[in-house]
Amino acid sequence: MARIVMKFGGTSMAGMERIRNVAARVKHVVDQGNEVAVVVSAMAGETDRLVGFCKEASPLYDPAEYDVVVASGEQVTSGLLAMTLKAMGVNARSWLGWQMPIRTVETHAKARVESIDTGALVAAMQSGQVAVIPGFQGMMDDGRVSTLGRGGSDTSAVAVAAAVKADRCDIYTDVDGVYTTDPRIVARARKLDMVTYEEMLELASVGSKVLQTRSVALAMKEKVRVQVLSSFDDPTQDELPGTLIVGEEEIEDSSMERQLITGIAVDKNEAKVIVTRVPDKPGAVASIFSPLAEASINVDMIIQNDSKDNAETDVTFTVPRADLARSVDILEGRKGEIGFNRLITDAEVSKVSVVGVGMRSHAGVAAMMFKALADRGINIEAISTSEIKVSVLIDEDETELAVRVLHTAYGLDADVAA
Ligand code: ADP
Ligand code: ASP
Ligand code: MG
């Protein structure tokens, strides 16, 4: 017997037929004698629909009221799943974020889980009752409803798993594991049996939305055993073939030779800004980035091209696309102070990243990337690196070609096209 947290994403909960399938899977795991908590997302598309209403109500909506609206999607699915389980003869009840409660801090719409009161929850699970928990939602100190940011149900599931000391956190989604790249972009993507926390964290943070970045960081910190599985497989199968997120030592034990690159991710949510003819003197770059930081705008890639001749430099960087207009506004407002000539922006860019711990011990990963892209005439507009990642910014239209070319160049293609 084990204590298991099962999480089902939006596509898995999209409509009553899917919910019945989820309930059948939960029943199967309960019938095996396990204690179970289930974390659910809203039906696919529902959160987008609710966000749309908020924007329509007021472009500058109050984030606290936004949370009231968008948290409702998960309230619906948690109730429906509990009902369905009961109809199948499985003892179950829903536990809303504020009922446990899941205590959150910081800002509405992107709150962080601080703690979860698990007393009543664990007692219910031990008595054989399945706890059905709406993902994404929590409660602020003042009792108001909060949400954890888009894709946040993954984080809810890992947080619950850590709090109830679950043996496993199984994330059921619409693909049967973590692949070398998004299998919806590259048909020859290969499923990984295992991936390290560190690589998964990096992949998620550069755009692999299969898991929310914060869920991976939390799993790594709390040592939660996470598995990614498909909810579209036969619900009565005992062992589903998924991807296990593990510590690096576990992978080293199980395979002699690591691939150089583990995966490739794409992020189409950034935009490029070029600030031209900035004075090349101490403090100039700070005068650009400080006001952006004050406005909580996350700057990602940065390039400074210095031109020694005229003591001026162009500074290129990326910001989230959603913050582009605000960034321009802020910089134009400080044009005199910064002393630049003009701003050039481009929102039609995408960031392609290759990730792998193998990079630590092998030189030439970046060079191979640049050459493979150059051979196909793909221009690189910016570059950034970390110890286990190389990212390039390219024209958005060339994204799929770039990912396919790199997938082949690093030897990641599956033998047979899916
Ligand atoms: P859920 O609604 O279950 O949370 P998401 O849509 O958030 O599901 O995440 C699953 C999707 O992530 C897949 O449908 C796939 O298109 C995408 N994805 C991106 N990168 C990867 C990857 N490396 N491996 C698997 N899926 C990926
Ligand atoms: N329903 C929320 C979203 O779409 C949370 C989630 O599904 O993880 O972002
Ligand atoms: Mg998701």
Side-chain angles (χ1 to χ4, degrees):
M1 192 201 80
R3 182 172 290 175
I4 299 173
V5 173
M6 307 169 73
K7 180 259 170 176
F8 293 90
T11 324
S12 311
M13 297 297 292
M16 283 317 301
E17 197 187 326
R18 295 300 320 151
I19 291 178
R20 270 192 289 276
N21 200 64
V22 165
R25 181 68 193 162
V26 173
K27 180 175 185 327
H28 182 73
V29 174
V30 170
D31 288 346
Q32 288 175 321
N34 298 300
E35 281 175 15
V36 176
V38 189
V39 175
V40 295
S41 286
M43 293 191 196
E46 180 62 7
T47 311
D48 286 343
R49 194 175 76 96
L50 296 169
V51 171
F53 286 139
C54 294
K55 288 182 176 157
E56 223 180 286
S58 160
L60 291 174
Y61 52 74
D62 173 2
E65 299 302 351
Y66 163 95
D67 280 350
V68 172
V69 177
V70 299
S72 67
E74 273 74 6
Q75 173 159 340
V76 171
T77 47
S78 58
L80 289 173
L81 179 59
M83 274 180 205
T84 310
L85 283 166
K86 285 175 129 167
M88 285 183 179
V90 179
N91 184 9
R93 76 154 269 196
S94 62
W95 293 82
L96 300 183
W98 56 268
Q99 288 171 333
M100 280 189 275
I102 295 180
R103 296 180 192 279
T104 62
V105 289
E106 293 171 14
T107 29
H108 277 282
K110 46 183 174 192
R112 200 167 53 75
V113 177
E114 170 121 302
S115 64
I116 302 181
D117 293 359
T118 54
L121 189 67
V122 168
M125 287 168 73
Q126 282 171 336
S127 75
Q129 191 176 55
V130 173
V132 185
I133 301 163
F136 191 43
Q137 56 172 255
M139 185 191 87
M140 288 295 196
D141 254 359
D142 59 4
R144 300 200 70 178
V145 172
S146 59
T147 64
L148 308 181
R150 298 304 306 269
S153 295
D154 295 330
T155 301
S156 306
V158 173
V160 169
V164 303
K165 302 195 170 37
D167 297 291
R168 242 175 38 227
C169 180
D170 290 345
I171 308 266
Y172 287 84
T173 181
D174 54 5
V175 285
D176 59 355
V178 178
Y179 280 69
T180 46
T181 193
D182 189 338
R184 296 186 199 285
I185 300 183
V186 177
R188 304 191 77 167
R190 234 178 332 114
K191 195 174 79 186
L192 301 162
D193 296 331
M194 292 187 207
V195 60
T196 63
Y197 287 112
E198 205 182 355
E199 286 168 317
M200 194 61 241
L201 185 62
E202 196 85 54
L203 279 169
S205 73
V206 291
S208 287
K209 69 159 184 171
V210 60
L211 290 175
Q212 196 200 32
T213 310
R214 283 166 51 195
S215 71
V216 187
L218 190 61
M220 191 168 166
K221 179 166 157 275
E222 301 287 339
K223 301 197 170 49
V224 176
R225 205 161 176 80
V226 175
Q227 209 175 183
V228 178
L229 305 162
S230 170
S231 71
F232 288 75
D233 285 332
D234 173 6
T236 59
Q237 208 173 313
D238 282 348
E239 291 293 324
L240 295 176
T243 301
L244 199 60
I245 322 285
V246 296
E248 209 168 312
E249 42 331 314
E250 273 184 76
I251 288 212
E252 268 156 17
D253 289 349
S254 71
S255 67
M256 300 287 285
E257 214 32 76
R258 296 287 324 271
Q259 287 272 359
L260 188 56
I261 291 301
T262 303
I264 303 175
V266 171
D267 185 352
K268 292 188 177 178
N269 291 313
E270 294 195 13
K272 184 176 74 168
V273 181
I274 306 175
V275 191
T276 71
R277 300 182 58 189
V278 179
D280 194 4
K281 61 170 195 220
V285 173
S287 69
I288 296 174
F289 295 117
S290 302
L292 296 177
E294 275 159 31
S296 298
I297 295 173
N298 275 330
V299 173
D300 180 22
M301 307 171 103
I302 303 177
I303 313 179
Q304 184 182 351
N305 326 300
D306 73 343
S307 55
K308 299 247 171 340
D309 298 344
N310 51 6
E312 282 173 345
T313 171
D314 288 351
V315 178
T316 302
F317 59 90
T318 61
V319 291
R321 249 181 228 185
D323 291 331
L324 179 60
R326 220 154 47 93
S327 305
V328 167
D329 217 41
I330 290 170
L331 294 176
E332 288 291 0
R334 311 240 177 168
K335 191 170 182 184
E337 192 185 317
I338 302 168
F340 62 87
N341 178 44
R342 67 188 177 114
L343 297 177
I344 303 168
T345 63
D346 184 358
E348 267 126 52
V349 288
S350 83
K351 185 173 75 172
V352 176
S353 308
V354 298
V355 172
V357 291
M359 248 180 245
R360 285 205 191 106
S361 47
H362 288 83
V365 172
M368 189 190 270
M369 184 178 199
F370 305 153
K371 170 137 193 347
L373 296 175
D375 285 349
R376 301 303 290 262
I378 298 170
N379 189 39
I380 297 172
E381 301 178 25
I383 301 165
S384 69
T385 63
S386 80
E387 204 190 3
I388 64 163
K389 175 205 80 184
V390 184
S391 303
V392 294
L393 196 71
I394 60 170
D395 190 303
E396 190 179 2
D397 291 343
E398 296 179 320
T399 312
E400 291 184 25
L401 174 64
V403 175
R404 273 202 300 273
V405 162
L406 294 172
H407 202 264
T408 306
Y410 289 110
L412 297 175
D413 288 352
D415 292 338
V416 189

